């Protein structure tokens, strides 16, 4: 019985593409975890944390190399089988459109965040009890023992204002992030339109 040699090849391509898809999904999780590690470990010279950051970065680099190797292999097999042309413009446009769509969705979500962060900062200011406590605390300061480490009214107000300012800065950064993503989407659309012949690409 004659068998179709393309069947096992197609099966192998499907299997390795599933691996690549899972790898990309896992990559995002590892990258997000690396950001958290950088946040909590910033400035800490402990060798274990340095090793963790370095090893995590190496893992991300290796994931990128694996993805490239797998993708190259799949493309090579499909070209050899005559299923697609090498470097087809349509395939490139499809990928870039997918990237642009994801960035656009991300920008839409991020645009909703600054107002929430700003509102939280205002809520923090409104809830600051230090003004009301100032008069009551004044009468007890003389009776406090020297080892009392509770924050003073002035320090509490400083902490509130500092936190609120940081949150406002974060809201501004989120606005900027949304603008950057929108700009990136526009640039990709311009490029893909040029590839498709809709209009010339801009550099």
């Amino acid at each position: 019985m004659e068998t179709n040699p393309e069947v096992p090849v197609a099966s192998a391509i499907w299997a390795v593409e599933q691996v690549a898809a899972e790898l990309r999904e896992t990559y995002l999780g590892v990258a997000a975890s690396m950001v958290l590690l950088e946040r909590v470990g910033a400035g800490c010279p402990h060798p274990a944390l340095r090793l963790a950051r370095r090893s995590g970065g190496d893992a991300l680099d290796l994931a990128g190399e694996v993805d490239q190797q797998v993708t190259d292999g799949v493309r090579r097999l499909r070209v050899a089988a005559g299923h697609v042309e090498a470097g087809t413009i349509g395939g490139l446009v499809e990928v870039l459109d997918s990237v642009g769509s994801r960035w656009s969705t991300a920008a839409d979500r991020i645009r909703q965040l600054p107002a929430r962060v700003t509102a939280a900062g205002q809520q923090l200011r409104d809830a600051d009890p230090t003004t009301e406590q100032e008069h009551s605390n004044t009468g007890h300061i003389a009776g406090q023992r020297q080892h009392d480490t509770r924050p003073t009214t002035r320090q509490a107000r400083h902490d509130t204002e500092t936190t609120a300012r940081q949150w406002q800065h974060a809201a501004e950064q989120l606005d900027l992030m949304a603008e950057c993503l929108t700009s990136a989407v526009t640039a990709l659309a311009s490029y893909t339109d040029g590839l498709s012949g809709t209009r010339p690409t801009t550099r």
Side-chain angles (χ1 to χ4, degrees), residues 8 14 25 36 44 47 58 70 83 87 97 102 107 114 130 133-134 148-149 155 164 168 174 185 197:
W14 182 87
E25 183 177 351
L36 292 177
C44 180
D58 290 343
V70 168
H83 293 163
D97 282 345
R102 293 183 182 183
T130 55
Q133 291 178 351
E134 186 170 9
D148 191 347
T149 59
Q155 180 62 43
Q168 182 58 40
L174 285 169
V185 170

Side-chain angles (χ1 to χ4, degrees), residues 117-118 163-175:
V117 176
T118 300
T163 300
R165 283 197 301 269
Q166 287 180 322
W167 289 1
Q168 182 58 40
H169 180 66
E172 293 169 359
Q173 295 296 93
L174 285 169
D175 278 328

Side-chain angles (χ1 to χ4, degrees), residues 56-144:
D58 290 343
L60 291 177
D61 290 341
L62 289 170
E65 292 181 12
V66 170
D67 183 70
Q68 184 65 50
Q69 292 168 356
V70 168
T71 302
D72 287 347
V74 169
R75 184 183 301 110
R76 189 178 302 109
L77 290 173
R78 286 180 169 169
V79 170
H83 293 163
V84 294
E85 297 179 1
T88 57
I89 292 179
L92 176 59
V93 170
E94 182 178 353
V95 171
L96 295 180
D97 282 345
S98 176
V99 172
S101 176
R102 293 183 182 183
W103 284 356
S104 180
T105 299
D108 289 340
R109 293 187 62 181
I110 290 171
R111 286 192 191 94
Q112 310 303 316
L113 303 181
R116 292 163 59 183
V117 176
T118 300
Q122 186 59 51
Q123 182 179 3
L124 188 65
R125 288 191 175 98
D126 294 342
D128 184 5
T130 55
T131 302
E132 296 179 2
Q133 291 178 351
E134 186 170 9
H135 296 295
S136 60
N137 288 345
T138 302
H140 298 287
I141 291 178
Q144 288 182 346

Side-chain angles (χ1 to χ4, degrees), residues 154-201:
R154 180 177 298 176
Q155 180 62 43
R157 183 181 295 113
H158 171 74
D159 291 343
T160 297
E161 285 301 318
T162 298
T163 300
R165 283 197 301 269
Q166 287 180 322
W167 289 1
Q168 182 58 40
H169 180 66
E172 293 169 359
Q173 295 296 93
L174 285 169
D175 278 328
L176 181 60
M177 184 178 178
E179 291 177 8
C180 289
L181 285 171
T182 300
S183 177
V185 170
T186 301
L188 279 180
S190 175
Y191 180 68
T192 54
D193 285 347
L195 288 177
S196 303
T198 305
R199 64 171 181 264
T201 58

